[in-house]
Amino acid sequence: MANLVMFCILAVIILGSAVMCVLTKSIMRAATFLLFVLFGVAGIYFLLDYTFLGAAQISVYAGGITMMYVFAIQLVSKNALQGITERINGSRIAGIFLKNVFVEKYASDGEVKIEAIGTQLLSSGVDGYVLPFEFISLFLLACIIGGIMIARKGGNE
């Protein structure tokens, strides 16, 4: 019974923080709400006794959000940081959910099997996610190198 109560509390925190992350107009608030989402997911991992995944979630992903704070503060001026806004309307979010056919395509008896998710994430076919994941990792590496170059402030030129 206690596990069910903790799961419900974590689910409310994750869903509320995810919605607020998408709907907020401040980039720092969005990063903070994303941090709450990642901590909530780590809490679910700990609740399921997946301690390694929970620790990895906190150290890798929550640590990544902390680094995003540092880069946002160092690389963007205060006036620009306060003025960054992004308009997201509800129809755009609903369109994303309606266009997602993963559940209908891979669900059997209303449940998506872990094997189907793993195969989908590691496949390089039409619906695979390996290539986008690799492009994102290269993009993040380029961002890190660019941040180091900007933070260097001079040196040998």
Side-chain angles (χ1 to χ4, degrees):
M1 182 65 181
N3 285 341
L4 180 63
V5 171
M6 280 303 298
F7 176 78
C8 291
I9 291 171
L10 288 172
V12 167
I13 290 171
I14 290 171
L15 289 174
S17 297
V19 168
M20 290 304 295
C21 179
V22 171
L23 296 178
T24 188
K25 293 182 179 182
S26 169
I27 192 168
M28 295 303 284
R29 287 185 189 147
T32 304
F33 285 125
L34 184 60
L35 185 66
F36 288 138
V37 169
L38 296 174
F39 276 130
V41 171
I44 288 181
Y45 285 145
F46 285 125
L47 189 64
L48 294 172
D49 289 331
Y50 293 140
T51 54
F52 176 75
L53 286 177
Q57 177 78 14
I58 289 174
S59 64
V60 174
Y61 294 111
I65 294 298
T66 305
M67 288 296 108
M68 190 170 69
Y69 273 132
V70 170
F71 280 115
I73 291 170
Q74 286 182 349
L75 298 177
V76 180
S77 69
K78 182 179 177 183
N79 294 334
L81 191 61
Q82 291 174 350
I84 293 177
T85 61
E86 186 173 324
R87 295 181 186 155
I88 303 275
N89 53 14
S91 63
R92 189 170 173 193
I93 298 170
I96 292 171
F97 284 120
L98 292 176
K99 288 181 181 178
N100 188 359
V101 295
F102 184 81
V103 175
E104 292 91 14
K105 191 172 182 181
Y106 295 102
S108 61
D109 301 329
E111 292 185 10
V112 178
K113 294 184 179 181
I114 298 297
E115 182 179 336
I117 294 173
T119 304
Q120 185 72 19
L121 288 175
L122 295 176
S123 69
S124 60
V126 175
D127 294 330
Y129 289 101
V130 169
L131 291 177
F133 179 75
E134 291 299 324
F135 284 129
I136 289 171
S137 65
L138 288 174
F139 177 72
L140 289 175
L141 179 64
C143 289
I144 291 170
I145 292 171
I148 291 170
M149 295 301 289
I150 291 172
R152 218 168 96 179
K153 294 183 183 176
N156 296 335
E157 297 176 353

